[in-house]
Amino acid sequence: MTQSSTAQTLYPYREIYFRVRDGLRLYGRHYPAASGTAVGRPVLCLPGLTRNSRDFDAVAAYLSQTAIPRRDVYTLDFRGRGLSEWDSNWKNYTVPIEAMDVMDFATLCGIHDAAIIGTSRGGLVAMIIAAIQPSVIGCTILNDIGPVLDPDGLLRIASYVGKTPLPGNWAEAAESVKLGNKRQFPNVTDDEWAIIAKQLFNESDGRPSQGYDPKIGNAFSVLDGPMPAIWPQFDALSRHPLLVIRGEETDLLSPETVETMCQRNPRAEHLTVPGEGHAPLLRDQPTLQRIAAFLQATDTANLRAVELVA
């Protein structure tokens, strides 16, 4: 593992480059808890199908610098996304292999009993980890993902993954992202679309560059969709507290599925984010405060359990 100095940004973090078991070089970030403050359980953020660690800048900054208690936050670019290397074999872009990559990252960083924030694909990875290596997880936040995915949402995602033209400049990138998402995010401003475009695309010579390997589209259409229900993997999360976040405008996670998730996990809570679709951006103050409150409550419950054992 190699670790750079703190990056120059409004959101202070350290960059981590490491190699997973098959030799691929991946990228992650560590947002350290503000110095001199109490530290709650660490947080590990896992992104969506074509997204990356940049999606979590706002929530990572909030949890590490503002919320009480402060926390170490780690984010990861899955293989073929963000600043991680592309895999020469696109058939390796699967949830089980990505789960193994996460466990390699957790081992290298000494992460255990963590709060997992899984957005979309990242939530599926969290379910697999809960089934095969539960010690990594202390609680889970599933962001607009569940064990049953609506076909309309899957078809929409399949229609653009690996097929979106690369914009020529950042203004075009912001407009492209806006046009593709404004129906599910009607309240996002032009300035915010510019920020989201910077999250989605990499940068090369001052211009947008591919933020993910287009061959992920092959893996998604062949291996992941239509996706069968994975209730047994979801049930593995029942060992720990769970917060299910759903976008009010989403076409991927139905209210009925959320209701069943909460019925099957008695420790589950749910939050609907108004005016946002798939997947909620985790940037607005009410959502950040709810996440922080949920994590603080799980810290307290964990501390009480330790005291009872002692």
Side-chain angles (χ1 to χ4, degrees):
M1 177 176 68
T2 59
Q3 183 167 291
S4 77
S5 59
T6 301
Q8 298 300 311
T9 174
L10 293 175
Y11 309 121
Y13 61 85
R14 298 186 178 93
E15 297 180 305
I16 300 170
Y17 291 90
F18 68 105
R19 293 194 182 275
V20 292
R21 62 195 72 193
D22 63 3
L24 210 64
R25 190 170 188 249
L26 304 190
Y27 172 84
R29 293 179 173 183
H30 172 211
Y31 296 76
S35 59
T37 59
V39 178
R41 73 166 79 242
V43 177
L44 175 57
C45 301
L46 306 178
L49 177 67
T50 62
R51 306 304 294 244
N52 57 69
S53 58
R54 295 187 289 269
D55 274 1
F56 298 104
D57 266 355
V59 66
Y62 184 80
L63 294 176
S64 63
Q65 302 296 313
T66 302
I68 302 296
R70 310 314 199 252
R71 303 170 187 279
D72 285 326
V73 181
Y74 298 85
T75 65
L76 178 64
D77 290 354
F78 291 141
R79 58 179 61 210
R81 288 83 153 182
L83 300 183
S84 289
E85 287 184 342
W86 293 8
D87 198 309
S88 59
N89 181 1
W90 61 263
K91 293 183 180 180
N92 287 333
Y93 295 132
T94 67
V95 169
I97 287 179
E98 290 156 11
M100 289 191 292
D101 292 343
V102 172
M103 290 187 290
D104 285 349
F105 183 59
T107 299
L108 286 168
C109 296
I111 300 170
H112 59 88
D113 192 36
I116 306 292
I117 301 178
T119 292
S120 193
R121 173 85 158 211
L124 300 180
V125 172
M127 295 181 208
I128 298 298
I129 294 173
I132 63 179
Q133 193 167 332
S135 63
V136 173
I137 300 177
C139 66
T140 311
I141 298 173
L142 296 179
N143 185 23
D144 215 61
I145 193 69
V148 177
L149 302 183
D150 283 8
D152 287 348
L154 289 172
L155 288 172
R156 178 182 57 80
I157 293 169
S159 72
Y160 71 77
V161 174
K163 304 169 187 174
T164 304
L166 185 65
N169 55 56
W170 284 111
E172 290 180 9
E175 185 63 19
S176 173
V177 174
K178 175 182 176 180
L179 289 175
N181 294 277
K182 64 179 180 180
R183 178 175 296 180
Q184 293 203 17
F185 294 88
N187 300 322
V188 173
T189 67
D190 287 346
D191 287 344
E192 289 172 320
W193 286 125
I195 293 172
I196 294 168
K198 287 277 190 177
Q199 295 172 347
L200 177 59
F201 293 98
N202 288 348
E203 184 170 353
S204 178
D205 297 326
R207 294 176 176 270
S209 62
Q210 286 288 0
Y212 67 92
D213 183 351
K215 291 183 179 178
I216 288 172
N218 299 341
F220 178 76
S221 61
V222 173
L223 300 178
D224 287 353
M227 178 188 137
I230 54 170
W231 287 111
Q233 290 81 3
F234 169 79
D235 289 339
L237 295 173
S238 63
R239 303 182 182 94
H240 309 292
L242 171 66
L243 173 61
V244 181
I245 298 176
R246 179 182 180 272
E248 182 182 37
E249 307 296 330
T250 187
D251 58 3
L252 198 70
L253 180 64
S254 71
E256 293 77 18
T257 297
V258 173
E259 182 179 359
T260 304
M261 292 165 71
C262 292
Q263 289 172 350
R264 293 175 75 117
N265 184 340
R267 305 178 72 182
E269 309 171 16
H270 71 274
L271 167 69
T272 298
V273 180
E276 296 193 3
H278 183 76
L281 303 175
L282 308 185
R283 299 177 61 88
D284 64 284
Q285 198 69 15
T287 299
L288 294 177
Q289 291 175 345
R290 178 65 181 275
I291 289 172
F294 170 77
L295 295 179
Q296 185 179 37
T298 68
D299 287 340
T300 302
N302 186 58
L303 179 60
R304 287 175 180 168
V306 170
E307 290 174 345
L308 288 173
V309 171

